[in-house]
Amino acid sequence: QQINGVEGVLFYAPIIFKRSRIAETTTAQFTLTIVMGLIKVFFILLSTRFLDSSGRRPVLVIGAAGLAFSLALVSMGSFPAIGLGALAAMGVMMFIAAFSFGFGPVCWLFAAELFPSALRGRGMSG
């Protein structure tokens, strides 16, 4: 779950927002971080709806495509010569949405199914 870079994006999101001139004050960066959290919760709930009806594979494919597209936006928006800093900020938000829709919840679902019912609580706790 960590290999897709979600921790790096979450850690550097305020810096990306500042460099893209979307949020130059600490208050604005904090506000956008709260918005990221709300996006995360919304797309996790949306994912649970689609996991039951569509299955895991379509959710993972959509999530992976969203991750790739959003990282492309972050990289394009990170070049100061282009002057499209808003693309980087939008890419960060889309990355969080795609991760929360696909790899985030599905990996926890897979991990829970690896253990037999009698050992599931102990296996998932540590």
Side-chain angles (χ1 to χ4, degrees):
Q1 190 175 14
Q2 307 301 322
I3 200 165
N4 59 20
V6 68
E7 296 301 324
V9 171
L10 287 173
F11 182 77
Y12 287 106
I15 295 169
I16 293 170
F17 294 148
K18 185 175 184 174
R19 288 186 181 172
S20 66
R21 293 188 174 94
I22 297 296
E24 295 185 6
T25 65
T26 306
T27 305
Q29 293 168 7
F30 184 69
T31 303
L32 285 176
T33 304
I34 291 173
V35 170
M36 273 191 343
L38 294 173
I39 288 172
K40 197 171 189 178
V41 169
F42 174 76
F43 278 94
I44 287 172
L45 294 174
L46 188 67
S47 175
T48 58
R49 166 86 169 106
F50 284 101
L51 277 171
D52 287 338
S53 62
S54 300
R56 293 180 196 108
R57 182 170 180 184
V59 169
L60 280 175
V61 168
I62 292 169
L67 289 174
F69 180 72
S70 63
L71 285 179
L73 287 179
V74 171
S75 65
M76 284 188 293
S78 296
F79 288 111
I82 298 174
L84 297 174
L87 275 180
M90 189 170 62
V92 167
M93 295 296 185
M94 287 179 64
F95 185 87
I96 297 303
F99 174 80
S100 298
F101 182 78
F103 283 96
V106 173
C107 289
W108 284 104
L109 182 65
F110 279 146
E113 291 177 350
L114 289 175
F115 297 103
S117 297
L119 299 174
R120 191 167 291 155
R122 189 178 305 164
M124 289 298 293
S125 66

